[in-house]
Amino acid sequence: MADDIPRSTYAGLPAVTPVGDGLMKQMYIQSCSFGKDSLASVLLAKKHGDPLDEAVYCEVMFDSKTSGEVPEHRDFIYDTAIPALERMGVKVVVLRSEQTYVGLFTGRITRGPKKGMVRSFPICGRCAVQRDCKMKPIRKYQKSLPADTVQYVGIAKDEQDRLLRLGGGSVSLLDKYNYTEQDARSLCEKAGLLSPIYEFSDRGGCWFCPNAKKKELRHLYDHHPDLWARMLELQAIPGKATEKFNRTQTFTDIDELFRNEDEQLPIAA
């Protein structure tokens, strides 16, 4: 919640300082998920003296009180990463949408053949959560910045397909300084800024993401039964437009899979 991060800026809009005749100075911002690539980009900017005004992070929320970040990663963000960046003199801006995963899930379809049904789980590849809970607040924030703002993005030297898709105004400092994904990870490790999420996943993302791999879901099942139970509660809501959590399974299917796996484990002597 905003009260949990008193030293950072929790914002829908930034405070921008006019320069000269009402013109805004050019800004340099880091788009930051607090994964290895975006944090390595911040570290490189500070090391080489590249201008950096803000690190901007958008937190997707499960409901009004529960973060969509895997709990270990959220704790790392607020207890370790944000304080470390602020000690470096980097302003951190935290954005959140008024919309949440639960709000989207329980909303009603207003038109078409499924009108009146509960919207249910987001569709893989057309994620309404990404659209409404992440991109909307980010775009709103971007519109308030100077038109010539430079955005640093955490894309490594060995991610050529992503680098080729970079639009104007976006810059990869990892590419500029020839850092691969492994280099980024090593840099974060040396700085004590590698998220614990990499102990059980090779990616960041919401704990309710339909693209989550089995090992990520297994971690949630084993270590966060309260969050797991919330997903089973949503699965049980009647009148949903779809029962599928991902392309092939309901959340109940996944729960049964893990329960069966546990039952087949040998009992320790």
Side-chain angles (χ1 to χ4, degrees):
M1 300 299 291
D3 292 340
D4 297 331
I5 46 172
R7 292 174 297 174
S8 304
T9 300
Y10 173 71
L13 294 173
V16 184
T17 304
V19 177
D21 297 328
L23 299 176
M24 296 182 289
K25 69 180 183 70
Q26 185 177 28
M27 293 184 66
Y28 295 80
I29 65 172
Q30 172 69 50
S31 177
C32 196
S33 66
F34 294 99
K36 59 179 175 56
D37 295 332
S38 57
L39 279 175
S41 183
V42 172
L43 293 170
L44 287 172
K46 300 305 290 184
K47 176 181 179 180
H48 294 283
D50 292 276
L52 177 59
D53 294 296
E54 300 173 349
V56 180
Y57 162 63
C58 186
E59 182 175 19
V60 174
M61 300 296 288
F62 175 72
D63 59 25
S64 62
K65 296 181 179 180
T66 308
S67 178
E69 299 286 2
V70 176
E72 291 89 344
H73 187 54
R74 187 184 192 278
D75 290 346
F76 166 76
I77 290 171
Y78 288 106
D79 297 342
T80 301
I82 288 179
L85 265 59
E86 290 177 337
R87 286 193 297 271
M88 297 177 200
V90 178
K91 177 184 175 183
V92 180
V93 176
V94 179
L95 307 175
R96 292 196 192 112
S97 172
E98 293 181 1
Q99 185 58 275
T100 67
Y101 177 85
V102 171
L104 288 171
F105 188 107
T106 57
R108 298 280 177 172
I109 296 174
T110 58
R111 58 186 176 183
K114 295 186 178 182
K115 181 179 179 180
M117 299 187 76
V118 176
R119 290 188 181 279
S120 190
F121 299 104
I123 300 172
C124 292
R126 289 189 292 151
C127 182
V129 178
Q130 172 83 358
R131 180 194 67 206
D132 293 347
C133 299
K134 187 170 185 178
M135 295 314 301
K136 278 189 177 180
I138 289 175
R139 286 173 179 149
K140 179 180 179 182
Y141 188 80
Q142 288 174 335
K143 286 179 181 178
S144 70
L145 297 172
D148 58 354
T149 293
V150 174
Q151 177 176 323
Y152 297 138
V153 292
I155 301 179
K157 181 73 174 179
D158 50 350
E159 296 181 281
Q160 284 300 311
D161 288 346
R162 295 182 66 198
L163 288 170
L164 290 172
R165 293 197 300 268
L166 276 184
S170 295
V171 173
S172 168
L173 293 181
L174 297 178
D175 183 44
K176 177 180 178 180
Y177 295 112
N178 296 307
Y179 268 65
T180 64
E181 287 193 84
Q182 183 56 50
D183 294 332
R185 180 179 180 127
S186 297
L187 183 62
C188 290
E189 282 181 320
K190 290 177 183 177
L193 286 174
L194 184 69
S195 171
I197 199 171
Y198 294 108
E199 295 174 9
F200 52 86
S201 176
D202 56 7
R203 59 182 282 278
C206 300
W207 54 263
F208 42 76
C209 179
N211 294 317
K213 297 178 181 178
K214 181 181 176 182
K215 64 180 179 179
E216 296 163 4
L217 293 169
R218 183 74 212 203
H219 177 85
L220 189 72
Y221 177 85
D222 288 337
H223 297 280
H224 304 289
D226 55 330
L227 301 181
W228 192 265
R230 294 294 302 277
M231 293 300 287
L232 289 174
E233 289 172 2
L234 291 175
Q235 181 73 73
I237 293 175
K240 298 192 296 299
T242 179
E243 293 295 331
K244 292 288 195 296
F245 165 71
N246 54 31
R247 288 184 172 87
T248 60
Q249 299 167 297
T250 68
F251 210 80
T252 304
D253 292 336
I254 300 169
D255 184 69
E256 290 178 355
L257 172 65
F258 292 157
R259 288 180 184 276
N260 289 336
E261 287 180 350
D262 287 351
E263 289 174 0
Q264 294 169 15
L265 290 175
I267 300 175

